[in-house]
Amino acid sequence: MTGSETKAAVEWLTSVTPDPAACRWEWERSLRGIALLPAGRRWDVLILPGELGYPTLDVLTRLIDRPGPVLADSGGSRMGFFVPPGTVSRWMGTGIRGCGQGAWIVVPYPGRATGGVRWLVPPDGSGTLTDAGLLELAMHEAAGAAALDARGERPERRVGRQRS
């Protein structure tokens, strides 16, 4: 991330806190380099198990240039996709946790590594979020591919036009 991108990302992230200066202080001076931010204001976060999250992110990055911010825990067992606010209240997926209004999430400083959580796709400060419908489609494709792999069935990929 460039300096201006980092500054924009910090401003966007801290804009949801009651005290942005305190949030920046936590990032800059605490040993952990993390801050707690409230979800449900500018974004919700859908938390997927890593075994579904990583293939879902792969599908997303093939479909769109840049998904919204994505966090992962240090062990890779969970991933958090930033989606529009209100998504969690309408989400009905099994095995997917949601952080919306009234929830808080652990967030590292953009562009820095911490011991417990890291950005896979850092925020760019523009407010870009992953569309929940597109995320759901990507999850279905990733889950379907994993099911086929588990059975030893790999679908043939066709590039270009299909022949009649």
PDB file of all heavy atoms in Angstrom, residues 43-50 52-58 60-61 67-72 78-84 87-88 96-97 99 105 120-121 129-131 135 138-139:
ATOM      1  N   TRP A  43     -19.922  -1.166   7.586  1.00  0.00           N
ATOM      2  CA  TRP A  43     -19.765  -2.517   7.064  1.00  0.00           C
ATOM      3  C   TRP A  43     -20.234  -3.530   8.090  1.00  0.00           C
ATOM      4  O   TRP A  43     -20.318  -3.250   9.274  1.00  0.00           O
ATOM      5  CB  TRP A  43     -18.299  -2.804   6.727  1.00  0.00           C
ATOM      6  CG  TRP A  43     -17.403  -2.708   7.931  1.00  0.00           C
ATOM      7  CD1 TRP A  43     -17.238  -3.656   8.904  1.00  0.00           C
ATOM      8  CD2 TRP A  43     -16.601  -1.609   8.332  1.00  0.00           C
ATOM      9  NE1 TRP A  43     -16.372  -3.210   9.861  1.00  0.00           N
ATOM     10  CE2 TRP A  43     -15.968  -1.946   9.535  1.00  0.00           C
ATOM     11  CE3 TRP A  43     -16.345  -0.358   7.766  1.00  0.00           C
ATOM     12  CZ2 TRP A  43     -15.102  -1.098  10.198  1.00  0.00           C
ATOM     13  CZ3 TRP A  43     -15.485   0.493   8.434  1.00  0.00           C
ATOM     14  CH2 TRP A  43     -14.878   0.127   9.620  1.00  0.00           C
ATOM     15  N   ASP A  44     -20.556  -4.708   7.603  1.00  0.00           N
ATOM     16  CA  ASP A  44     -20.712  -5.916   8.400  1.00  0.00           C
ATOM     17  C   ASP A  44     -19.551  -6.816   7.992  1.00  0.00           C
ATOM     18  O   ASP A  44     -18.900  -6.583   6.967  1.00  0.00           O
ATOM     19  CB  ASP A  44     -22.031  -6.635   8.098  1.00  0.00           C
ATOM     20  CG  ASP A  44     -23.255  -5.973   8.722  1.00  0.00           C
ATOM     21  OD1 ASP A  44     -23.097  -4.957   9.435  1.00  0.00           O
ATOM     22  OD2 ASP A  44     -24.371  -6.461   8.472  1.00  0.00           O
ATOM     23  N   VAL A  45     -19.311  -7.850   8.770  1.00  0.00           N
ATOM     24  CA  VAL A  45     -18.263  -8.801   8.431  1.00  0.00           C
ATOM     25  C   VAL A  45     -18.852 -10.207   8.495  1.00  0.00           C
ATOM     26  O   VAL A  45     -19.448 -10.581   9.501  1.00  0.00           O
ATOM     27  CB  VAL A  45     -17.056  -8.689   9.392  1.00  0.00           C
ATOM     28  CG1 VAL A  45     -15.984  -9.698   9.023  1.00  0.00           C
ATOM     29  CG2 VAL A  45     -16.484  -7.270   9.376  1.00  0.00           C
ATOM     30  N   LEU A  46     -18.720 -10.939   7.399  1.00  0.00           N
ATOM     31  CA  LEU A  46     -19.109 -12.350   7.374  1.00  0.00           C
ATOM     32  C   LEU A  46     -17.843 -13.175   7.565  1.00  0.00           C
ATOM     33  O   LEU A  46     -16.861 -12.998   6.843  1.00  0.00           O
ATOM     34  CB  LEU A  46     -19.783 -12.712   6.058  1.00  0.00           C
ATOM     35  CG  LEU A  46     -21.163 -12.097   5.851  1.00  0.00           C
ATOM     36  CD1 LEU A  46     -21.700 -12.461   4.472  1.00  0.00           C
ATOM     37  CD2 LEU A  46     -22.133 -12.544   6.932  1.00  0.00           C
ATOM     38  N   ILE A  47     -17.871 -14.056   8.571  1.00  0.00           N
ATOM     39  CA  ILE A  47     -16.699 -14.847   8.925  1.00  0.00           C
ATOM     40  C   ILE A  47     -16.901 -16.274   8.444  1.00  0.00           C
ATOM     41  O   ILE A  47     -17.831 -16.960   8.871  1.00  0.00           O
ATOM     42  CB  ILE A  47     -16.453 -14.804  10.440  1.00  0.00           C
ATOM     43  CG1 ILE A  47     -16.260 -13.344  10.867  1.00  0.00           C
ATOM     44  CG2 ILE A  47     -15.249 -15.658  10.816  1.00  0.00           C
ATOM     45  CD1 ILE A  47     -16.214 -13.140  12.349  1.00  0.00           C
ATOM     46  N   LEU A  48     -16.024 -16.695   7.547  1.00  0.00           N
ATOM     47  CA  LEU A  48     -16.075 -18.026   6.949  1.00  0.00           C
ATOM     48  C   LEU A  48     -14.946 -18.882   7.508  1.00  0.00           C
ATOM     49  O   LEU A  48     -13.876 -18.357   7.810  1.00  0.00           O
ATOM     50  CB  LEU A  48     -15.885 -17.951   5.430  1.00  0.00           C
ATOM     51  CG  LEU A  48     -17.038 -17.502   4.554  1.00  0.00           C
ATOM     52  CD1 LEU A  48     -17.466 -16.088   4.839  1.00  0.00           C
ATOM     53  CD2 LEU A  48     -16.657 -17.652   3.106  1.00  0.00           C
ATOM     54  N   PRO A  49     -15.170 -20.183   7.616  1.00  0.00           N
ATOM     55  CA  PRO A  49     -14.048 -21.054   7.961  1.00  0.00           C
ATOM     56  C   PRO A  49     -13.003 -20.967   6.846  1.00  0.00           C
ATOM     57  O   PRO A  49     -13.342 -20.808   5.667  1.00  0.00           O
ATOM     58  CB  PRO A  49     -14.667 -22.450   8.036  1.00  0.00           C
ATOM     59  CG  PRO A  49     -16.053 -22.335   7.534  1.00  0.00           C
ATOM     60  CD  PRO A  49     -16.407 -20.898   7.395  1.00  0.00           C
ATOM     61  N   GLY A  50     -11.740 -21.053   7.216  1.00  0.00           N
ATOM     62  CA  GLY A  50     -10.657 -20.908   6.243  1.00  0.00           C
ATOM     63  C   GLY A  50     -10.743 -21.858   5.070  1.00  0.00           C
ATOM     64  O   GLY A  50     -10.436 -21.483   3.937  1.00  0.00           O
ATOM     65  N   LEU A  52     -13.221 -22.823   3.506  1.00  0.00           N
ATOM     66  CA  LEU A  52     -14.148 -22.281   2.514  1.00  0.00           C
ATOM     67  C   LEU A  52     -13.729 -20.878   2.094  1.00  0.00           C
ATOM     68  O   LEU A  52     -13.893 -20.486   0.942  1.00  0.00           O
ATOM     69  CB  LEU A  52     -15.580 -22.259   3.065  1.00  0.00           C
ATOM     70  CG  LEU A  52     -16.642 -21.636   2.168  1.00  0.00           C
ATOM     71  CD1 LEU A  52     -16.745 -22.383   0.830  1.00  0.00           C
ATOM     72  CD2 LEU A  52     -17.994 -21.618   2.883  1.00  0.00           C
ATOM     73  N   GLY A  53     -13.184 -20.118   3.022  1.00  0.00           N
ATOM     74  CA  GLY A  53     -12.840 -18.719   2.759  1.00  0.00           C
ATOM     75  C   GLY A  53     -11.775 -18.518   1.699  1.00  0.00           C
ATOM     76  O   GLY A  53     -11.916 -17.676   0.813  1.00  0.00           O
ATOM     77  N   TYR A  54     -10.692 -19.302   1.774  1.00  0.00           N
ATOM     78  CA  TYR A  54      -9.615 -19.120   0.800  1.00  0.00           C
ATOM     79  C   TYR A  54     -10.060 -19.444  -0.623  1.00  0.00           C
ATOM     80  O   TYR A  54      -9.805 -18.656  -1.542  1.00  0.00           O
ATOM     81  CB  TYR A  54      -8.376 -19.941   1.196  1.00  0.00           C
ATOM     82  CG  TYR A  54      -7.617 -19.300   2.336  1.00  0.00           C
ATOM     83  CD1 TYR A  54      -7.780 -19.741   3.649  1.00  0.00           C
ATOM     84  CD2 TYR A  54      -6.757 -18.231   2.109  1.00  0.00           C
ATOM     85  CE1 TYR A  54      -7.097 -19.141   4.700  1.00  0.00           C
ATOM     86  CE2 TYR A  54      -6.073 -17.629   3.148  1.00  0.00           C
ATOM     87  CZ  TYR A  54      -6.250 -18.082   4.447  1.00  0.00           C
ATOM     88  OH  TYR A  54      -5.580 -17.474   5.478  1.00  0.00           O
ATOM     89  N   PRO A  55     -10.750 -20.570  -0.859  1.00  0.00           N
ATOM     90  CA  PRO A  55     -11.224 -20.811  -2.224  1.00  0.00           C
ATOM     91  C   PRO A  55     -12.271 -19.779  -2.668  1.00  0.00           C
ATOM     92  O   PRO A  55     -12.344 -19.427  -3.839  1.00  0.00           O
ATOM     93  CB  PRO A  55     -11.834 -22.211  -2.191  1.00  0.00           C
ATOM     94  CG  PRO A  55     -11.479 -22.810  -0.890  1.00  0.00           C
ATOM     95  CD  PRO A  55     -10.968 -21.734  -0.002  1.00  0.00           C
ATOM     96  N   THR A  56     -13.062 -19.277  -1.714  1.00  0.00           N
ATOM     97  CA  THR A  56     -14.042 -18.246  -2.049  1.00  0.00           C
ATOM     98  C   THR A  56     -13.336 -16.976  -2.501  1.00  0.00           C
ATOM     99  O   THR A  56     -13.732 -16.354  -3.494  1.00  0.00           O
ATOM    100  CB  THR A  56     -14.958 -17.961  -0.839  1.00  0.00           C
ATOM    101  OG1 THR A  56     -15.701 -19.149  -0.532  1.00  0.00           O
ATOM    102  CG2 THR A  56     -15.917 -16.822  -1.122  1.00  0.00           C
ATOM    103  N   LEU A  57     -12.271 -16.594  -1.797  1.00  0.00           N
ATOM    104  CA  LEU A  57     -11.506 -15.409  -2.203  1.00  0.00           C
ATOM    105  C   LEU A  57     -10.885 -15.619  -3.579  1.00  0.00           C
ATOM    106  O   LEU A  57     -10.864 -14.698  -4.398  1.00  0.00           O
ATOM    107  CB  LEU A  57     -10.436 -15.082  -1.161  1.00  0.00           C
ATOM    108  CG  LEU A  57      -9.594 -13.840  -1.442  1.00  0.00           C
ATOM    109  CD1 LEU A  57     -10.462 -12.595  -1.596  1.00  0.00           C
ATOM    110  CD2 LEU A  57      -8.565 -13.638  -0.335  1.00  0.00           C
ATOM    111  N   ASP A  58     -10.412 -16.836  -3.859  1.00  0.00           N
ATOM    112  CA  ASP A  58      -9.869 -17.133  -5.193  1.00  0.00           C
ATOM    113  C   ASP A  58     -10.931 -16.919  -6.270  1.00  0.00           C
ATOM    114  O   ASP A  58     -10.655 -16.328  -7.314  1.00  0.00           O
ATOM    115  CB  ASP A  58      -9.345 -18.572  -5.267  1.00  0.00           C
ATOM    116  CG  ASP A  58      -8.051 -18.772  -4.501  1.00  0.00           C
ATOM    117  OD1 ASP A  58      -7.377 -17.775  -4.173  1.00  0.00           O
ATOM    118  OD2 ASP A  58      -7.720 -19.940  -4.221  1.00  0.00           O
ATOM    119  N   LEU A  60     -13.655 -15.038  -6.044  1.00  0.00           N
ATOM    120  CA  LEU A  60     -13.973 -13.604  -6.101  1.00  0.00           C
ATOM    121  C   LEU A  60     -12.957 -12.829  -6.933  1.00  0.00           C
ATOM    122  O   LEU A  60     -13.326 -11.971  -7.732  1.00  0.00           O
ATOM    123  CB  LEU A  60     -14.013 -13.007  -4.698  1.00  0.00           C
ATOM    124  CG  LEU A  60     -15.305 -13.079  -3.933  1.00  0.00           C
ATOM    125  CD1 LEU A  60     -15.120 -12.529  -2.519  1.00  0.00           C
ATOM    126  CD2 LEU A  60     -16.429 -12.347  -4.642  1.00  0.00           C
ATOM    127  N   THR A  61     -11.679 -13.122  -6.716  1.00  0.00           N
ATOM    128  CA  THR A  61     -10.648 -12.365  -7.437  1.00  0.00           C
ATOM    129  C   THR A  61     -10.613 -12.702  -8.926  1.00  0.00           C
ATOM    130  O   THR A  61     -10.048 -11.949  -9.714  1.00  0.00           O
ATOM    131  CB  THR A  61      -9.254 -12.570  -6.808  1.00  0.00           C
ATOM    132  OG1 THR A  61      -8.945 -13.954  -6.768  1.00  0.00           O
ATOM    133  CG2 THR A  61      -9.201 -11.979  -5.410  1.00  0.00           C
ATOM    134  N   PRO A  67     -12.067  -7.226  -4.521  1.00  0.00           N
ATOM    135  CA  PRO A  67     -13.149  -7.368  -3.542  1.00  0.00           C
ATOM    136  C   PRO A  67     -12.954  -6.367  -2.409  1.00  0.00           C
ATOM    137  O   PRO A  67     -11.917  -5.691  -2.341  1.00  0.00           O
ATOM    138  CB  PRO A  67     -12.977  -8.807  -3.042  1.00  0.00           C
ATOM    139  CG  PRO A  67     -11.544  -9.134  -3.272  1.00  0.00           C
ATOM    140  CD  PRO A  67     -11.116  -8.327  -4.470  1.00  0.00           C
ATOM    141  N   GLY A  68     -13.921  -6.289  -1.533  1.00  0.00           N
ATOM    142  CA  GLY A  68     -13.770  -5.459  -0.353  1.00  0.00           C
ATOM    143  C   GLY A  68     -12.723  -6.042   0.565  1.00  0.00           C
ATOM    144  O   GLY A  68     -12.152  -7.102   0.297  1.00  0.00           O
ATOM    145  N   PRO A  69     -12.444  -5.364   1.673  1.00  0.00           N
ATOM    146  CA  PRO A  69     -11.421  -5.841   2.600  1.00  0.00           C
ATOM    147  C   PRO A  69     -11.708  -7.250   3.109  1.00  0.00           C
ATOM    148  O   PRO A  69     -12.862  -7.635   3.297  1.00  0.00           O
ATOM    149  CB  PRO A  69     -11.503  -4.839   3.754  1.00  0.00           C
ATOM    150  CG  PRO A  69     -12.127  -3.617   3.158  1.00  0.00           C
ATOM    151  CD  PRO A  69     -13.054  -4.114   2.108  1.00  0.00           C
ATOM    152  N   VAL A  70     -10.625  -7.994   3.331  1.00  0.00           N
ATOM    153  CA  VAL A  70     -10.719  -9.360   3.843  1.00  0.00           C
ATOM    154  C   VAL A  70      -9.636  -9.540   4.904  1.00  0.00           C
ATOM    155  O   VAL A  70      -8.463  -9.250   4.657  1.00  0.00           O
ATOM    156  CB  VAL A  70     -10.524 -10.417   2.729  1.00  0.00           C
ATOM    157  CG1 VAL A  70     -10.635 -11.827   3.291  1.00  0.00           C
ATOM    158  CG2 VAL A  70     -11.522 -10.202   1.598  1.00  0.00           C
ATOM    159  N   LEU A  71     -10.052 -10.022   6.070  1.00  0.00           N
ATOM    160  CA  LEU A  71      -9.142 -10.333   7.168  1.00  0.00           C
ATOM    161  C   LEU A  71      -8.988 -11.844   7.304  1.00  0.00           C
ATOM    162  O   LEU A  71      -9.893 -12.591   6.936  1.00  0.00           O
ATOM    163  CB  LEU A  71      -9.710  -9.820   8.495  1.00  0.00           C
ATOM    164  CG  LEU A  71      -9.718  -8.328   8.738  1.00  0.00           C
ATOM    165  CD1 LEU A  71     -10.547  -8.005   9.984  1.00  0.00           C
ATOM    166  CD2 LEU A  71      -8.310  -7.812   8.892  1.00  0.00           C
ATOM    167  N   ALA A  72      -7.866 -12.270   7.864  1.00  0.00           N
ATOM    168  CA  ALA A  72      -7.670 -13.689   8.206  1.00  0.00           C
ATOM    169  C   ALA A  72      -6.965 -13.760   9.547  1.00  0.00           C
ATOM    170  O   ALA A  72      -6.144 -12.894   9.864  1.00  0.00           O
ATOM    171  CB  ALA A  72      -6.843 -14.396   7.145  1.00  0.00           C
ATOM    172  N   ARG A  78      -9.957 -18.846  10.005  1.00  0.00           N
ATOM    173  CA  ARG A  78     -11.139 -18.009   9.778  1.00  0.00           C
ATOM    174  C   ARG A  78     -10.769 -16.820   8.910  1.00  0.00           C
ATOM    175  O   ARG A  78      -9.669 -16.295   8.994  1.00  0.00           O
ATOM    176  CB  ARG A  78     -11.703 -17.507  11.107  1.00  0.00           C
ATOM    177  CG  ARG A  78     -12.355 -18.574  11.940  1.00  0.00           C
ATOM    178  CD  ARG A  78     -12.924 -17.998  13.227  1.00  0.00           C
ATOM    179  NE  ARG A  78     -11.924 -17.309  14.032  1.00  0.00           N
ATOM    180  CZ  ARG A  78     -11.191 -17.879  14.977  1.00  0.00           C
ATOM    181  NH1 ARG A  78     -11.326 -19.146  15.230  1.00  0.00           N
ATOM    182  NH2 ARG A  78     -10.321 -17.178  15.669  1.00  0.00           N
ATOM    183  N   MET A  79     -11.751 -16.405   8.102  1.00  0.00           N
ATOM    184  CA  MET A  79     -11.582 -15.225   7.251  1.00  0.00           C
ATOM    185  C   MET A  79     -12.812 -14.351   7.374  1.00  0.00           C
ATOM    186  O   MET A  79     -13.929 -14.857   7.429  1.00  0.00           O
ATOM    187  CB  MET A  79     -11.406 -15.645   5.787  1.00  0.00           C
ATOM    188  CG  MET A  79     -10.122 -16.402   5.538  1.00  0.00           C
ATOM    189  SD  MET A  79     -10.002 -17.013   3.858  1.00  0.00           S
ATOM    190  CE  MET A  79     -10.019 -15.511   2.906  1.00  0.00           C
ATOM    191  N   GLY A  80     -12.594 -13.035   7.409  1.00  0.00           N
ATOM    192  CA  GLY A  80     -13.698 -12.096   7.510  1.00  0.00           C
ATOM    193  C   GLY A  80     -13.800 -11.237   6.260  1.00  0.00           C
ATOM    194  O   GLY A  80     -12.856 -10.537   5.903  1.00  0.00           O
ATOM    195  N   PHE A  81     -14.946 -11.304   5.600  1.00  0.00           N
ATOM    196  CA  PHE A  81     -15.213 -10.530   4.390  1.00  0.00           C
ATOM    197  C   PHE A  81     -16.069  -9.318   4.762  1.00  0.00           C
ATOM    198  O   PHE A  81     -17.144  -9.488   5.336  1.00  0.00           O
ATOM    199  CB  PHE A  81     -15.949 -11.393   3.356  1.00  0.00           C
ATOM    200  CG  PHE A  81     -15.113 -12.468   2.750  1.00  0.00           C
ATOM    201  CD1 PHE A  81     -14.876 -13.657   3.432  1.00  0.00           C
ATOM    202  CD2 PHE A  81     -14.548 -12.302   1.496  1.00  0.00           C
ATOM    203  CE1 PHE A  81     -14.098 -14.663   2.874  1.00  0.00           C
ATOM    204  CE2 PHE A  81     -13.767 -13.308   0.921  1.00  0.00           C
ATOM    205  CZ  PHE A  81     -13.539 -14.484   1.619  1.00  0.00           C
ATOM    206  N   PHE A  82     -15.609  -8.125   4.429  1.00  0.00           N
ATOM    207  CA  PHE A  82     -16.356  -6.907   4.706  1.00  0.00           C
ATOM    208  C   PHE A  82     -17.447  -6.744   3.649  1.00  0.00           C
ATOM    209  O   PHE A  82     -17.155  -6.707   2.450  1.00  0.00           O
ATOM    210  CB  PHE A  82     -15.428  -5.691   4.683  1.00  0.00           C
ATOM    211  CG  PHE A  82     -14.594  -5.521   5.926  1.00  0.00           C
ATOM    212  CD1 PHE A  82     -13.831  -6.566   6.433  1.00  0.00           C
ATOM    213  CD2 PHE A  82     -14.580  -4.307   6.583  1.00  0.00           C
ATOM    214  CE1 PHE A  82     -13.068  -6.406   7.575  1.00  0.00           C
ATOM    215  CE2 PHE A  82     -13.814  -4.134   7.736  1.00  0.00           C
ATOM    216  CZ  PHE A  82     -13.053  -5.191   8.236  1.00  0.00           C
ATOM    217  N   VAL A  83     -18.679  -6.675   4.101  1.00  0.00           N
ATOM    218  CA  VAL A  83     -19.858  -6.585   3.237  1.00  0.00           C
ATOM    219  C   VAL A  83     -20.696  -5.390   3.674  1.00  0.00           C
ATOM    220  O   VAL A  83     -20.475  -4.832   4.753  1.00  0.00           O
ATOM    221  CB  VAL A  83     -20.682  -7.897   3.304  1.00  0.00           C
ATOM    222  CG1 VAL A  83     -19.907  -9.062   2.689  1.00  0.00           C
ATOM    223  CG2 VAL A  83     -21.090  -8.226   4.733  1.00  0.00           C
ATOM    224  N   PRO A  84     -21.679  -4.975   2.880  1.00  0.00           N
ATOM    225  CA  PRO A  84     -22.484  -3.814   3.250  1.00  0.00           C
ATOM    226  C   PRO A  84     -23.193  -3.986   4.600  1.00  0.00           C
ATOM    227  O   PRO A  84     -23.566  -5.107   4.974  1.00  0.00           O
ATOM    228  CB  PRO A  84     -23.503  -3.703   2.111  1.00  0.00           C
ATOM    229  CG  PRO A  84     -22.817  -4.333   0.943  1.00  0.00           C
ATOM    230  CD  PRO A  84     -22.015  -5.464   1.536  1.00  0.00           C
ATOM    231  N   THR A  87     -26.158  -6.677   6.088  1.00  0.00           N
ATOM    232  CA  THR A  87     -26.066  -8.010   5.493  1.00  0.00           C
ATOM    233  C   THR A  87     -26.266  -9.097   6.538  1.00  0.00           C
ATOM    234  O   THR A  87     -26.978 -10.078   6.300  1.00  0.00           O
ATOM    235  CB  THR A  87     -24.707  -8.202   4.792  1.00  0.00           C
ATOM    236  OG1 THR A  87     -24.589  -7.242   3.740  1.00  0.00           O
ATOM    237  CG2 THR A  87     -24.557  -9.604   4.223  1.00  0.00           C
ATOM    238  N   VAL A  88     -25.655  -8.947   7.689  1.00  0.00           N
ATOM    239  CA  VAL A  88     -25.709  -9.990   8.720  1.00  0.00           C
ATOM    240  C   VAL A  88     -27.140 -10.258   9.161  1.00  0.00           C
ATOM    241  O   VAL A  88     -27.523 -11.413   9.375  1.00  0.00           O
ATOM    242  CB  VAL A  88     -24.811  -9.611   9.921  1.00  0.00           C
ATOM    243  CG1 VAL A  88     -25.080 -10.488  11.124  1.00  0.00           C
ATOM    244  CG2 VAL A  88     -23.345  -9.696   9.513  1.00  0.00           C
ATOM    245  N   ILE A  96     -21.554 -19.959   8.847  1.00  0.00           N
ATOM    246  CA  ILE A  96     -21.002 -18.630   8.617  1.00  0.00           C
ATOM    247  C   ILE A  96     -21.418 -17.747   9.785  1.00  0.00           C
ATOM    248  O   ILE A  96     -22.604 -17.655  10.105  1.00  0.00           O
ATOM    249  CB  ILE A  96     -21.529 -18.013   7.291  1.00  0.00           C
ATOM    250  CG1 ILE A  96     -21.374 -18.977   6.115  1.00  0.00           C
ATOM    251  CG2 ILE A  96     -20.875 -16.670   7.027  1.00  0.00           C
ATOM    252  CD1 ILE A  96     -19.982 -19.421   5.828  1.00  0.00           C
ATOM    253  N   ARG A  97     -20.454 -17.124  10.424  1.00  0.00           N
ATOM    254  CA  ARG A  97     -20.757 -16.199  11.516  1.00  0.00           C
ATOM    255  C   ARG A  97     -20.807 -14.788  10.957  1.00  0.00           C
ATOM    256  O   ARG A  97     -20.143 -14.472   9.975  1.00  0.00           O
ATOM    257  CB  ARG A  97     -19.682 -16.283  12.595  1.00  0.00           C
ATOM    258  CG  ARG A  97     -19.721 -17.598  13.326  1.00  0.00           C
ATOM    259  CD  ARG A  97     -18.708 -17.699  14.444  1.00  0.00           C
ATOM    260  NE  ARG A  97     -18.288 -16.453  15.005  1.00  0.00           N
ATOM    261  CZ  ARG A  97     -17.042 -16.188  15.400  1.00  0.00           C
ATOM    262  NH1 ARG A  97     -16.103 -17.094  15.279  1.00  0.00           N
ATOM    263  NH2 ARG A  97     -16.729 -15.019  15.909  1.00  0.00           N
ATOM    264  N   CYS A  99     -20.807 -10.500  11.952  1.00  0.00           N
ATOM    265  CA  CYS A  99     -20.617  -9.385  12.880  1.00  0.00           C
ATOM    266  C   CYS A  99     -21.303  -8.173  12.267  1.00  0.00           C
ATOM    267  O   CYS A  99     -20.865  -7.658  11.238  1.00  0.00           O
ATOM    268  CB  CYS A  99     -19.137  -9.091  13.090  1.00  0.00           C
ATOM    269  SG  CYS A  99     -18.244 -10.422  13.884  1.00  0.00           S
ATOM    270  N   ILE A 105     -15.039  -5.965  16.007  1.00  0.00           N
ATOM    271  CA  ILE A 105     -14.066  -6.845  15.375  1.00  0.00           C
ATOM    272  C   ILE A 105     -12.647  -6.346  15.656  1.00  0.00           C
ATOM    273  O   ILE A 105     -12.419  -5.148  15.840  1.00  0.00           O
ATOM    274  CB  ILE A 105     -14.298  -6.976  13.847  1.00  0.00           C
ATOM    275  CG1 ILE A 105     -14.208  -5.621  13.158  1.00  0.00           C
ATOM    276  CG2 ILE A 105     -15.614  -7.647  13.554  1.00  0.00           C
ATOM    277  CD1 ILE A 105     -14.161  -5.707  11.656  1.00  0.00           C
ATOM    278  N   LEU A 120      -5.751  -9.817   4.163  1.00  0.00           N
ATOM    279  CA  LEU A 120      -5.500 -10.484   2.883  1.00  0.00           C
ATOM    280  C   LEU A 120      -5.789  -9.511   1.751  1.00  0.00           C
ATOM    281  O   LEU A 120      -5.102  -9.490   0.741  1.00  0.00           O
ATOM    282  CB  LEU A 120      -6.370 -11.731   2.740  1.00  0.00           C
ATOM    283  CG  LEU A 120      -6.099 -12.840   3.742  1.00  0.00           C
ATOM    284  CD1 LEU A 120      -7.069 -13.990   3.533  1.00  0.00           C
ATOM    285  CD2 LEU A 120      -4.665 -13.323   3.665  1.00  0.00           C
ATOM    286  N   VAL A 121      -6.846  -8.720   1.934  1.00  0.00           N
ATOM    287  CA  VAL A 121      -7.167  -7.620   1.033  1.00  0.00           C
ATOM    288  C   VAL A 121      -7.364  -6.407   1.945  1.00  0.00           C
ATOM    289  O   VAL A 121      -8.383  -6.310   2.629  1.00  0.00           O
ATOM    290  CB  VAL A 121      -8.452  -7.881   0.214  1.00  0.00           C
ATOM    291  CG1 VAL A 121      -8.753  -6.685  -0.694  1.00  0.00           C
ATOM    292  CG2 VAL A 121      -8.342  -9.166  -0.589  1.00  0.00           C
ATOM    293  N   LEU A 129     -16.738  -2.474  -0.665  1.00  0.00           N
ATOM    294  CA  LEU A 129     -17.149  -3.657   0.092  1.00  0.00           C
ATOM    295  C   LEU A 129     -17.480  -4.758  -0.893  1.00  0.00           C
ATOM    296  O   LEU A 129     -17.770  -4.496  -2.067  1.00  0.00           O
ATOM    297  CB  LEU A 129     -18.376  -3.334   0.956  1.00  0.00           C
ATOM    298  CG  LEU A 129     -18.196  -2.222   1.986  1.00  0.00           C
ATOM    299  CD1 LEU A 129     -19.538  -1.826   2.579  1.00  0.00           C
ATOM    300  CD2 LEU A 129     -17.227  -2.656   3.072  1.00  0.00           C
ATOM    301  N   THR A 130     -17.461  -5.991  -0.429  1.00  0.00           N
ATOM    302  CA  THR A 130     -17.844  -7.113  -1.286  1.00  0.00           C
ATOM    303  C   THR A 130     -19.360  -7.229  -1.300  1.00  0.00           C
ATOM    304  O   THR A 130     -19.998  -7.256  -0.249  1.00  0.00           O
ATOM    305  CB  THR A 130     -17.218  -8.428  -0.777  1.00  0.00           C
ATOM    306  OG1 THR A 130     -15.796  -8.292  -0.835  1.00  0.00           O
ATOM    307  CG2 THR A 130     -17.643  -9.612  -1.618  1.00  0.00           C
ATOM    308  N   ASP A 131     -19.925  -7.288  -2.478  1.00  0.00           N
ATOM    309  CA  ASP A 131     -21.363  -7.483  -2.629  1.00  0.00           C
ATOM    310  C   ASP A 131     -21.730  -8.842  -2.038  1.00  0.00           C
ATOM    311  O   ASP A 131     -21.116  -9.863  -2.369  1.00  0.00           O
ATOM    312  CB  ASP A 131     -21.730  -7.419  -4.116  1.00  0.00           C
ATOM    313  CG  ASP A 131     -23.191  -7.702  -4.341  1.00  0.00           C
ATOM    314  OD1 ASP A 131     -23.997  -6.789  -4.142  1.00  0.00           O
ATOM    315  OD2 ASP A 131     -23.512  -8.859  -4.712  1.00  0.00           O
ATOM    316  N   LEU A 135     -20.600 -12.596  -3.104  1.00  0.00           N
ATOM    317  CA  LEU A 135     -19.889 -13.437  -2.140  1.00  0.00           C
ATOM    318  C   LEU A 135     -20.581 -14.793  -2.006  1.00  0.00           C
ATOM    319  O   LEU A 135     -19.933 -15.837  -1.997  1.00  0.00           O
ATOM    320  CB  LEU A 135     -19.801 -12.745  -0.778  1.00  0.00           C
ATOM    321  CG  LEU A 135     -19.124 -13.529   0.341  1.00  0.00           C
ATOM    322  CD1 LEU A 135     -17.677 -13.862  -0.002  1.00  0.00           C
ATOM    323  CD2 LEU A 135     -19.210 -12.751   1.649  1.00  0.00           C
ATOM    324  N   ALA A 138     -19.818 -16.899  -5.018  1.00  0.00           N
ATOM    325  CA  ALA A 138     -18.439 -17.378  -4.960  1.00  0.00           C
ATOM    326  C   ALA A 138     -18.298 -18.509  -3.942  1.00  0.00           C
ATOM    327  O   ALA A 138     -17.573 -19.483  -4.179  1.00  0.00           O
ATOM    328  CB  ALA A 138     -17.500 -16.221  -4.610  1.00  0.00           C
ATOM    329  N   MET A 139     -19.008 -18.397  -2.817  1.00  0.00           N
ATOM    330  CA  MET A 139     -18.986 -19.459  -1.812  1.00  0.00           C
ATOM    331  C   MET A 139     -19.559 -20.753  -2.375  1.00  0.00           C
ATOM    332  O   MET A 139     -18.999 -21.831  -2.161  1.00  0.00           O
ATOM    333  CB  MET A 139     -19.780 -19.036  -0.571  1.00  0.00           C
ATOM    334  CG  MET A 139     -19.099 -17.985   0.258  1.00  0.00           C
ATOM    335  SD  MET A 139     -20.164 -17.264   1.535  1.00  0.00           S
ATOM    336  CE  MET A 139     -20.827 -18.704   2.320  1.00  0.00           C
TER     337      MET A 139
END
